[in-house]
Amino acid sequence: MDKATLRQQTIQALSQMPADQRQAASERLYQALWASPQWRAAQTVATTLSSAIELNTQPIIARAQAEGKTVAVPQTHPHRQMAFRPLTATTTLMTTKFGLQEPQNGPVIAPADFDLIVVPGLKFATTGERLGFGGGYYDRYLPQTTGYKVALALPAQQASQPSWPVEDFDVVLDAVLNA
């Protein structure tokens, strides 16, 4: 199956997931993340400000901040590049043309400074391959960091093996947590 078709099918499946099932699966994923040794050891965590179809990242952000971790979220740049800036009470957010919230101020955190990166995407194989949204931002960013790369996959996002073409530049994740 080609990537575009699989992306559309996954978006449709996510949008049709009953709210109670989504909440229960999300809670299992949060608990699995928070129980991991990588989460407990992490001081600097990268995640996204999720869109409506994605796993809600607000509980992850709130827990990390409550535990005194530095939380950073991405800001996109030209040429499909991105940088992560801390998310704090003084962060100014702006909505992009894609409808996503991005930080506009604060220092850029170097890729080498991340201990844990919660990687977004649409489909995840248990073997670590991911199908992203198609922009290539994470494909360009992830090779720059040695942080532990983990995805949290709702049921509609799970695959035992990739059913999509995997490219040489695709970074295999360290872990995919399934609900």
Side-chain angles (χ1 to χ4, degrees):
M1 180 178 304
D2 69 69
K3 290 180 179 182
T5 302
L6 186 54
R7 283 185 184 107
Q8 286 306 316
Q9 287 179 353
T10 305
I11 289 168
Q12 184 175 7
L14 285 169
S15 65
Q16 293 174 349
M17 189 174 182
D20 59 334
Q21 290 178 16
R22 183 190 217 31
Q23 183 57 39
S26 297
E27 194 56 42
R28 289 191 298 273
L29 290 168
Y30 301 144
Q31 295 303 325
L33 176 65
W34 297 330
S36 72
Q38 293 82 10
W39 173 269
R40 290 194 303 271
Q43 291 302 306
T44 306
V45 176
T47 190
T48 61
L49 294 170
S50 54
S51 68
I53 65 159
E54 296 177 280
L55 175 86
N56 184 358
T57 57
Q58 284 305 320
I60 296 167
I61 293 166
R63 174 80 172 246
Q65 290 173 333
E67 292 181 6
K69 299 178 189 299
T70 298
V71 177
V73 294
Q75 177 186 39
T76 56
H77 295 282
H79 310 292
R80 297 181 187 241
Q81 299 294 315
M82 66 180 179
F84 284 81
R85 297 179 183 275
L87 183 62
T88 67
T90 61
T91 301
T92 302
L93 297 173
M94 184 182 83
T95 302
T96 69
K97 65 181 178 181
F98 302 112
L100 300 173
Q101 294 276 298
E102 292 187 356
Q104 299 302 302
N105 60 325
V108 171
I109 296 178
D113 291 343
F114 287 108
D115 301 310
L116 178 74
I117 302 166
V118 179
V119 182
L122 282 170
K123 203 80 169 174
F124 304 99
T126 54
T127 48
E129 295 86 359
R130 80 182 254 286
L131 176 66
F133 289 88
Y137 290 90
Y138 277 83
D139 293 325
R140 288 172 181 78
Y141 189 84
L142 291 176
Q144 301 174 51
T145 181
T146 57
Y148 190 80
K149 300 158 192 69
V150 61
L152 282 65
L154 291 165
Q157 297 176 291
Q158 299 170 17
S160 57
Q161 294 185 355
S163 60
W164 58 90
V166 177
E167 311 293 342
D168 290 342
F169 55 78
D170 289 336
V171 174
V172 175
L173 303 176
D174 296 309
V176 175
L177 303 180
N178 290 316

